[in-house]
Amino acid sequence: MKKKANLPLLMMASSGMALTLPAAALAAEGGFIEDSTATLTARNYYFSRDFRDVPATAQSKQEEWAQGFILNFKSGYTPGPVGFGVDAIGMLGIKLDSSADRAGTGLLPGAFGDEAPDEYSRAGAALKVKVSKTELKVGELQPNLPVLTFSDIRLLPPTYSGASLVSQEIAGLTLQGGHLRATSLRNEAGDDDIRALIPTGPRYVRTTTSDSFNYAGADYAFNQNRTSVGAWYAQLEDIYNQRFFSLKHSEPLGAWTLGANLGYFDSSEDGDELAGEIDNQAFYTQLFAKRGGHNFLVGYQAMYGDHGLPRVFANVTPLGNEVPTFEFAAPDERSWQARYDYDFAALGIPGLVSTVRYITGDNVDTGGAEEGKDWERDLDLGYTVQSGPLKNVSVRVRNVVARSNYRPDIDENRLIISYTLGLF
């Protein structure tokens, strides 16, 4: 279920859901109440993106500032061989600064030319049923899958309506499947069909919608959980179907930990082909080395076929070179990444982390004679307060410079301040 609401109502609705269940179930041992948790996250988000060398009639800047609240309630399960529970979520976004000529950041509803509302909100719940180590959820979901990655990258996270099944009956093996019929995007208050994003040229193009996203997958971890393999299938009905295979491994070597992450997508048109023919194969690999607070990574990514990687709109993917601004997933694109992370806890400053990465891509099929090329440099700095009255307050700063010869150049800055309060 989903409805528009303000924050006080969201808090009362979520915390009061337990009262609607039979008193015997609530009072029984087994943890419906005892194992329940509720958190409230406050997130303040500033986003600025400058577009360089765009026509005078095009948007030259996206800039908005907003405050968000995310209330999560997760119950325990009723006792017995079949346990029942409820998960609920309530979200509220408040405009702090925006205008029609600067809209479209994804923080607030509306695109270029639209005036963002002063606030927007939504609420939803899911019934969950658990037998042994198998769990079924029906209702409002936030799946995190290779074929539909949880994309909490703006003010509020997206949600989906449908059903999911997760089974871990065999040690190391996780089986998942589900059917989704609608979505609430990160900057929307209501339900909508699920929209595809199909790169038919050097740019991603929003295309037709479907009311059915189906998926099934398996991940198996072994070798003391240092190695895992995965196989997945996804279908955005009548638009595209997709297969995904992965291999991850990490290996301690003295003071170092070495590792690899490989993935392969194969995508094609589906059913009635509402978006036309689709042809993409995408491969990526990442190699990393960790020691102390240092983490070094190099990555390679390649697109094959007539198109780039299709996906659900406003959703990121596990592609190795997908970053905040450019995806490096245009038709025929090849890209390389170098990344360095440092955790300052190794120097006695816990909570302070930094990231710098550089990605360069070429061989893009732009539909013309010129080969498409692009690059992006990201700087991230984050700090979480470790003690005192501001304990657990997190501050993150991001600066991006992205350049291309076939799409607008971008300069981008983000400032995110967040705090999560455990209610119970």
Side-chain angles (χ1 to χ4, degrees):
M1 66 179 182
K2 191 176 299 175
K3 63 180 180 179
K4 193 171 183 179
N6 57 36
L7 186 61
L9 289 178
L10 296 179
M11 295 179 67
M12 290 192 305
S14 295
S15 61
M17 289 191 69
L19 300 180
T20 65
L21 294 181
L26 300 181
E29 295 181 1
F32 183 94
I33 291 295
E34 291 83 354
D35 295 335
S36 294
T37 62
T39 61
L40 177 63
T41 297
R43 178 181 295 167
N44 189 279
Y45 207 127
Y46 169 78
F47 185 109
S48 174
R49 177 176 286 176
D50 287 320
F51 299 97
R52 305 292 183 179
D53 301 322
V54 296
T57 56
Q59 184 176 16
S60 62
K61 187 171 187 176
Q62 293 175 336
E63 184 180 32
E64 292 181 307
W65 180 29
Q67 175 67 49
F69 296 94
I70 306 167
L71 178 66
N72 269 298
F73 169 79
K74 297 182 182 299
S75 78
Y77 289 92
T78 58
V82 180
F84 294 87
V86 174
D87 289 348
I89 187 169
M91 292 177 277
L92 171 67
I94 301 173
K95 178 176 69 176
L96 300 179
D97 180 64
S98 178
S99 67
D101 62 334
R102 293 184 283 111
T105 65
L107 300 184
L108 299 165
F112 179 48
D114 297 330
E115 193 70 38
D118 291 336
E119 64 177 55
Y120 68 106
S121 60
R122 60 183 188 264
L127 171 68
K128 54 186 180 181
V129 182
K130 190 171 186 179
V131 179
S132 184
K133 296 181 180 179
T134 298
E135 182 181 60
L136 171 69
K137 289 186 178 182
V138 180
E140 202 73 5
L141 308 174
Q142 292 183 304
N144 188 17
L145 319 165
V147 290
L148 192 67
T149 307
F150 181 56
S151 304
D152 189 13
I153 56 175
R154 289 295 193 272
L155 185 70
L156 303 177
T159 60
Y160 297 85
S161 299
S164 70
L165 184 69
V166 180
S167 179
Q168 296 177 310
E169 301 293 340
I170 301 174
L173 178 64
T174 300
L175 301 175
Q176 299 191 56
H179 167 75
L180 308 176
R181 56 179 178 78
T183 182
S184 281
L185 296 178
R186 60 199 180 194
N187 60 339
E188 289 185 350
D191 282 333
D192 201 355
D193 285 345
I194 302 172
R195 183 173 295 276
L197 201 60
I198 309 294
T200 56
R203 299 181 184 180
Y204 278 84
V205 178
R206 292 193 218 183
T207 184
T208 188
T209 62
S210 172
D211 61 0
S212 180
F213 182 88
N214 304 299
Y215 66 88
D219 291 296
Y220 181 61
F222 56 98
N223 190 23
Q224 297 178 327
N225 288 329
R226 293 201 301 266
T227 307
S228 66
V229 293
W232 287 79
Y233 175 81
Q235 176 201 38
L236 187 55
E237 191 171 306
D238 291 327
I239 300 179
Y240 73 81
N241 57 65
Q242 192 170 71
R243 290 141 295 281
F244 174 73
F245 305 94
S246 65
L247 169 65
K248 298 179 182 179
H249 178 72
S250 63
E251 187 69 32
L253 189 64
W256 291 83
T257 299
L258 307 181
N261 176 16
L262 289 79
Y264 176 77
F265 283 95
D266 178 33
S267 307
S268 59
E269 67 278 359
D270 184 77
D272 291 340
E273 302 181 14
L274 298 181
E277 294 185 358
I278 297 173
D279 175 30
N280 172 261
Q281 298 80 47
F283 169 78
Y284 68 87
T285 180
Q286 294 178 323
L287 304 176
F288 68 85
K290 297 180 181 180
R291 178 171 179 168
H294 305 277
N295 185 15
F296 305 91
L297 181 147
V298 294
Y300 175 73
Q301 181 173 293
M303 299 292 122
Y304 301 93
D306 295 332
H307 306 101
L309 179 73
R311 66 182 69 191
V312 170
F313 173 63
N315 182 66
V316 301
T317 74
L319 283 174
N321 288 353
E322 178 159 329
V323 284
T325 304
F326 287 171
E327 303 88 1
F328 297 92
D332 292 337
E333 183 159 19
R334 312 288 189 263
S335 58
W336 288 90
Q337 174 181 184
R339 172 172 172 166
Y340 173 66
D341 296 82
Y342 188 71
D343 187 342
F344 286 83
L347 293 179
I349 314 176
L352 181 62
V353 294
S354 65
T355 298
V356 57
R357 58 188 163 195
Y358 177 81
I359 301 178
T360 180
D362 59 18
N363 199 53
V364 176
D365 181 3
T366 63
E370 185 178 16
E371 172 191 354
K373 299 180 180 181
D374 42 22
W375 61 266
E376 178 173 335
R377 188 272 298 150
D378 303 335
L379 294 175
D380 282 54
L381 187 65
Y383 180 67
T384 301
V385 180
Q386 301 294 296
S387 61
L390 296 179
K391 183 179 179 180
N392 295 328
V393 171
S394 172
V395 180
R396 183 179 179 187
V397 179
R398 168 173 290 167
N399 173 263
V400 176
V401 176
R403 297 291 182 263
S404 174
N405 68 344
Y406 65 91
R407 53 179 166 177
D409 296 339
I410 293 175
D411 291 336
E412 182 178 297
N413 290 285
R414 307 187 194 192
L415 173 61
I416 309 163
I417 303 173
S418 62
Y419 175 70
T420 297
L421 173 66
L423 301 178
F424 56 84

